[in-house]
Amino acid sequence: MSSLVAANIQESQWENGQTLLTFFEKNSIPLKVYYDLPREDKELADEIVSGNTFYTLYDEEGKLLQALIPINENSQLHIYKEDATYGMRAIPIVYFEKEHNIALSVESSLYNDIVKYTGDTFLASDFIQAYKGSVNFKRQIKKGDKLAIIYERKYRLGKVFGSPNIKASILKTSNEKKYVVRFDDGNFYDLEGNNLNKYLFMIPLKYKRISSHFSMGRKHPILGYKRPHLGTDYAAPRHTPIKAASQGKVIFAGTKGGYGKTVIIQHENGYRTLYGHMHKINKGIRAGVYVSQGKQIGTVGSTGLSTGPHLHFGLYKNGSAINPQKHLRIATIKLKDKEREKFSILAKSFQNQLETILANNLENEPFKKMQNSYIVYLSEEIGNDEDSKRNN
């Protein structure tokens, strides 16, 4: 670390419209470095989301030494100076998780009160989504009703990072108590094991096979290191119709770097879908247009960085890539047999915890934010250590 004593670490926001190529130009990195990257790494460069916080390390002369640019909650692009040139690879993000619980009385609305107490809009949105299918918020929720939440939050550099993970919650009204518990499959269930998730996506095309699955870290057979693949690739004949996986608003329709001809649709509750490598985008599909679930938006092609006709389908929640397959499947309506037994034990434990939290910790004072600072790890050894990702 002695060589980094005089180095300057900067924290910045990825600007809207900025690409990896413009970042290279801004930092005097030869564009050949980008063009020489493997196809999969160029595709990852298109996953950078505007507004994300990234970190750069400069020497005394203002020359870029390293950069860490997140592409989702678990992975980041590591750009580093190597002798007279630069290299780039995907590495895990170093963070730690902390469990929290809150309890409060409703003063104005569920959403506003959670945000006022925690400052966490994502937590408020996820709480609303968890109860959306079983509660009429306008008619059933009144001032003085109570709630409690047990959830996990990721922290990076002493700041909240990514999306929360609600493990269980209770909403207590004058008439009843409604519990929600997240199970192993990521879905929310009530205490009887009934699935509460109502928001599912349809498979966007008829395909021959899945040529590449979603992965947070596949080991590349030639390069030897892990590289994420933030979507599902469906191999299908050229010109196969592609349909919107759910209703929403088109926010992008055009050419997007390695994804070639691409359509991006914004859905409610923080979800977004991406359709890449298209041969053709249908007439009338443009930014600002609303589409219904199942509406054709284009056809399968091989544009951009593609070795053959297929659809790259990406699903995002609050800007972070998630596994489409878990949301495209028909959800289990009710847990059965061994899963039901396992869930019952888990649900009973959370029910007791929530009752205790609600009884002992009811307060509407602002949430105390963490003041600690944490190191930005730039070495590949630390970045590639899966254990350090969880424990630092």
Side-chain angles (χ1 to χ4, degrees):
M1 294 293 291
S2 59
S3 62
L4 302 180
V5 171
N8 177 26
I9 295 178
Q10 295 184 14
E11 176 183 309
S12 308
Q13 303 294 314
W14 195 263
E15 297 177 2
N16 188 28
Q18 182 171 225
T19 66
L20 192 62
L21 274 175
T22 58
F23 177 81
F24 276 21
E25 289 177 337
K26 181 179 179 180
N27 289 279
S28 302
I29 301 174
L31 299 187
K32 184 177 183 298
V33 175
Y34 173 83
Y35 292 118
D36 287 346
L37 290 172
R39 176 179 60 86
E40 295 90 342
D41 283 346
K42 290 178 184 174
E43 194 172 83
L44 285 177
D46 292 314
E47 294 286 348
I48 303 173
V49 179
S50 62
N52 272 1
T53 299
F54 70 99
Y55 300 91
T56 48
L57 183 70
Y58 294 92
D59 63 17
E60 292 177 299
E61 298 177 353
K63 191 74 173 178
L64 180 72
L65 298 175
Q66 302 194 53
L68 292 174
I69 306 171
I71 51 178
N72 72 347
E73 291 185 14
N74 298 284
S75 304
Q76 59 193 340
L77 297 179
H78 180 203
I79 301 169
Y80 51 93
K81 195 170 188 302
E82 194 172 43
D83 298 326
T85 185
Y86 287 85
M88 187 186 87
R89 66 190 303 180
I91 64 172
I93 286 179
V94 177
Y95 62 81
F96 76 92
E97 294 177 324
K98 182 176 176 61
E99 184 173 290
H100 297 285
N101 59 71
I102 64 169
L104 55 87
S105 294
V106 176
E107 294 180 347
S108 60
S109 73
L110 292 172
Y111 182 91
N112 290 336
D113 290 335
I114 293 173
V115 172
K116 179 181 178 181
Y117 182 70
T118 65
D120 195 333
T121 56
F122 286 166
L123 178 65
S125 295
D126 283 2
F127 180 86
I128 297 297
Q129 177 64 16
Y131 284 92
K132 185 177 180 181
S134 59
V135 174
N136 185 318
F137 299 114
K138 290 184 178 180
R139 294 183 179 181
Q140 294 180 256
I141 305 303
K142 299 177 181 179
K143 185 175 181 179
D145 289 344
K146 299 173 175 58
L147 67 89
I149 311 173
I150 300 172
Y151 67 102
E152 286 182 334
R153 243 341 190 152
K154 295 176 183 176
Y155 288 88
R156 186 189 192 206
L157 300 170
K159 298 179 180 179
V160 168
F161 176 70
S163 298
N165 175 34
I166 295 178
K167 301 173 75 173
S169 63
I170 179 177
L171 181 57
K172 183 180 179 182
T173 67
S174 56
N175 299 321
E176 60 184 336
K177 297 178 182 178
K178 285 188 174 290
Y179 295 88
V180 164
V181 177
R182 191 190 296 273
F183 194 44
D184 295 347
D185 59 4
N187 290 321
F188 288 117
Y189 293 84
D190 63 19
L191 292 184
E192 284 69 49
N194 297 305
N195 193 321
L196 299 174
N197 288 68
K198 305 296 183 183
Y199 200 77
L200 297 176
F201 297 82
M202 62 175 277
I203 297 174
L205 78 168
K206 291 182 180 179
Y207 63 96
K208 285 188 173 181
R209 62 187 176 88
I210 295 178
S211 55
S212 186
H213 289 270
F214 179 93
S215 172
M216 286 300 183
R218 299 179 304 170
K219 189 170 184 178
H220 193 279
I222 299 174
L223 301 176
Y225 61 84
K226 290 183 177 181
R227 175 197 284 120
H229 181 251
L230 304 180
T232 299
D233 288 352
Y234 294 99
R238 200 180 301 270
H239 308 304
T240 299
I242 299 171
K243 300 177 181 180
S246 188
Q247 66 180 12
K249 179 182 178 181
V250 177
I251 59 173
F252 181 87
T255 300
K256 181 177 172 60
Y259 285 135
K261 291 183 179 179
T262 301
V263 171
I264 301 175
I265 301 175
Q266 184 70 50
H267 310 281
E268 61 181 24
N269 303 316
Y271 286 101
R272 176 164 49 89
T273 51
L274 178 147
Y275 312 77
H277 305 304
M278 299 169 72
H279 172 75
K280 177 184 177 182
I281 297 173
N282 275 24
K283 185 178 180 180
I285 300 299
R286 60 184 184 277
V289 170
Y290 285 86
V291 295
S292 58
Q293 185 179 53
K295 179 178 177 59
Q296 183 174 332
I297 58 174
T299 57
V300 169
S302 188
T303 56
L305 299 169
S306 174
T307 55
H310 73 282
L311 170 69
H312 175 92
F313 179 67
L315 178 62
Y316 303 80
K317 177 70 184 294
N318 297 330
S320 185
I322 56 179
N323 189 349
Q325 293 304 110
K326 290 186 177 181
H327 295 262
L328 292 171
R329 291 189 306 221
I330 298 175
T332 303
I333 297 174
K334 188 168 184 175
L335 297 171
K336 298 179 181 179
D337 303 329
K338 289 185 178 180
E339 282 194 327
R340 179 73 177 87
E341 294 176 12
K342 182 179 178 182
F343 174 80
S344 294
I345 296 172
L346 178 70
K348 186 63 177 177
S349 173
F350 277 130
Q351 182 181 11
N352 293 335
Q353 291 181 56
L354 288 165
E355 290 286 358
T356 301
I357 294 167
L358 202 59
N360 299 331
N361 300 310
L362 196 61
E363 55 181 322
N364 282 39
E365 295 180 4
F367 195 61
K368 293 181 174 62
K369 295 183 179 180
M370 298 183 67
Q371 299 298 321
N372 303 54
S373 294
Y374 300 92
I375 299 171
V376 184
Y377 288 106
L378 291 171
S379 81
E380 292 181 16
E381 289 75 14
I382 296 177
N384 280 302
D385 182 353
E386 292 291 338
D387 292 332
S388 70
K389 181 179 74 169
R390 298 292 179 185
N391 299 326
N392 286 282

